[in-house]
Amino acid sequence: MLPAPLTMEVRRGAIAQLGTLLADSRVATSGRVAVAVGVGQGDRIAEVIAPSLGEAKVLRVADGSVDAAVSLGADLRKGNYEAVVGVGGGKTIDATKYAASLAGIPMVAVATNLSHDGICSPVASLVYEGGKGSFGVPMPLAIMVDLEFVHDAPPSLVRSGIGDVLSNLSAIEDWQLGNTERGEPIDGLAISMSRTAAEAVLGRPDSIEADAFLTVLAEALILSGMSMVIAGSSRPASGGDHEILHAVDQLFPGTSNHGELAGIGAAFCYFLREDAHRLGQVTACLRRHGLPVVPGDVGLTTDQFTAAVMLAPSTRPGRYTILEHLRLSEREVRGRVEDYVRAVGR
């Protein structure tokens, strides 16, 4: 049976109505529900949801690390909670997803920004001593996005979600390449959902200032996450583009956020495929929303980006993408990076 959340709401004031969702017996029969909030917006969120909380307990999530998630998971087990609601940005939601899986209880995701497709994905991206890793987790039981909080989030984080969902287009092509070259099974429904998510954002003329655009972006990111649930992996939303961003994170931590790097990675992969039409569409969308397009836009030199592309395949061993297919030498990669900058640079 197709996995799907009990409910999905994208609107202003969603957090204030959280109590209505928590009263649903499908979420918790006894009412023992915890609400996990981050350190940034935690106080404001707690104040907004207080009137509708009922018996729910507010717990704090220190950061987006494995340690913070494990600590939250221990608190959830001690409190004998039936469910937990993660309210906040990507770090808080990812930590709460992992904590819920450790505690063996369902999780409800309430997003206050739209930085990436982790809102609904079966993956928690968490920081640990050796770097950053992806951990498999169950899909959230329900999803809410409060547009009032999204409007208050840093614009760079909201734009990041655009880059992340656009990279689906490149990831799909990599998955199909794996099918053609190596016989890797593909899931048509997962591909359709992932592509629909990206196409919904690709040609829209409005921007993150408009509720209509934010609603479409939220729905696209959620749909992207659901495509990964159906596929049973991140394949429909993560290809050579994400290999590059993970390599940048490893080699040059703090360079930029997830979605911005995913957007650059996707554009570069389309350049490698010599697909001028799709490259033009992706770079035009990135520019329209003020997202970086070439490595220099995020402070990376040609040599640094070349190093990241060379390391990229090792970040997802066994995954076949345009990078593994071309198997370019370091000299060849450097040449392609220089050509890419000349072709699409301002």
Side-chain angles (χ1 to χ4, degrees):
M1 184 173 67
L2 175 66
L6 288 176
T7 184
M8 182 185 81
E9 290 189 47
V10 182
R11 60 184 177 84
R12 289 177 178 265
I15 290 178
Q17 301 301 314
L18 184 56
T20 303
L21 174 62
L22 298 183
D24 190 329
S25 60
R26 292 175 296 175
V27 177
T29 55
S30 70
R32 277 200 69 75
V33 177
V35 178
V37 298
V39 294
Q41 295 178 311
D43 291 337
R44 180 187 171 195
I45 292 169
E47 183 180 344
V48 170
I49 64 178
S52 63
L53 271 180
E55 299 294 321
K57 170 80 170 176
V58 176
L59 302 174
R60 303 287 173 156
V61 182
D63 51 38
S65 67
V66 171
D67 289 344
V70 170
S71 177
L72 176 60
D75 290 339
L76 294 174
R77 286 194 300 272
K78 281 187 222 170
N80 198 28
Y81 294 105
E82 282 189 274
V84 59
V85 181
V87 187
K91 292 179 182 178
T92 300
I93 288 178
D94 277 0
T96 306
K97 282 196 291 188
Y98 190 58
S101 71
L102 294 177
I105 60 176
M107 179 264 188
V108 173
V110 182
T112 58
N113 74 44
L114 301 173
S115 58
H116 56 70
D117 59 14
I119 302 169
C120 182
S121 77
V123 175
S125 181
L126 301 170
V127 177
Y128 61 98
E129 190 173 341
K132 196 170 188 179
S134 299
F135 302 84
V137 295
M139 180 180 177
L141 185 67
I143 302 153
M144 302 175 78
V145 178
D146 194 316
L147 294 183
E148 289 183 14
F149 279 81
V150 173
H151 276 294
D152 291 340
S156 61
L157 289 182
V158 183
R159 294 190 184 101
S160 172
I162 299 169
D164 197 24
V165 78
L166 283 182
S167 72
N168 287 12
L169 297 170
S170 178
I172 290 168
E173 299 221 21
D174 281 334
W175 198 7
Q176 292 171 327
L177 182 64
N179 172 259
T180 300
E181 296 294 325
R182 294 194 168 183
E184 180 182 350
I186 57 176
D187 188 300
L189 179 58
I191 285 177
S192 178
M193 293 174 71
S194 177
R195 181 183 289 114
T196 297
E199 295 280 5
V201 172
L202 183 64
R204 286 190 68 97
D206 48 355
S207 66
I208 63 171
E209 284 75 30
D211 277 8
F213 179 84
L214 291 179
T215 299
V216 169
L217 177 59
E219 292 170 348
L221 292 170
I222 292 167
L223 194 61
S224 179
M226 291 181 67
S227 75
M228 290 185 268
V229 175
I230 292 167
S233 76
S234 62
R235 203 55 161 122
S238 174
D241 44 274
H242 274 58
E243 289 182 337
I244 291 172
L245 84 83
H246 291 308
V248 172
D249 280 342
Q250 285 185 32
L251 293 173
F252 315 107
T255 293
S256 188
N257 62 44
H258 181 99
E260 290 183 343
L261 293 175
I264 295 174
F268 181 68
C269 286
Y270 271 118
F271 181 79
L272 293 179
R273 294 187 189 98
E274 300 181 0
D275 187 340
H277 175 68
R278 207 46 133 174
L279 174 63
Q281 288 182 316
V282 170
T283 55
C285 185
L286 293 175
R287 286 207 171 93
R288 186 163 62 249
H289 293 286
L291 285 158
V293 176
V294 296
D297 291 341
V298 292
L300 292 175
T301 65
T302 295
D303 285 347
Q304 288 174 323
F305 195 73
T306 297
V309 174
M310 293 301 298
L311 177 66
S314 69
T315 66
R316 287 291 182 273
R319 181 156 292 189
Y320 194 77
T321 77
I322 189 65
L323 302 179
E324 287 81 1
H325 181 68
L326 294 178
R327 292 171 28 174
L328 300 174
S329 68
E330 184 174 354
R331 180 182 61 80
E332 290 172 323
V333 169
R334 182 176 289 102
R336 298 293 179 93
V337 173
E338 291 171 347
D339 290 344
Y340 169 73
V341 172
R342 279 193 293 267
V344 306
R346 296 183 190 279

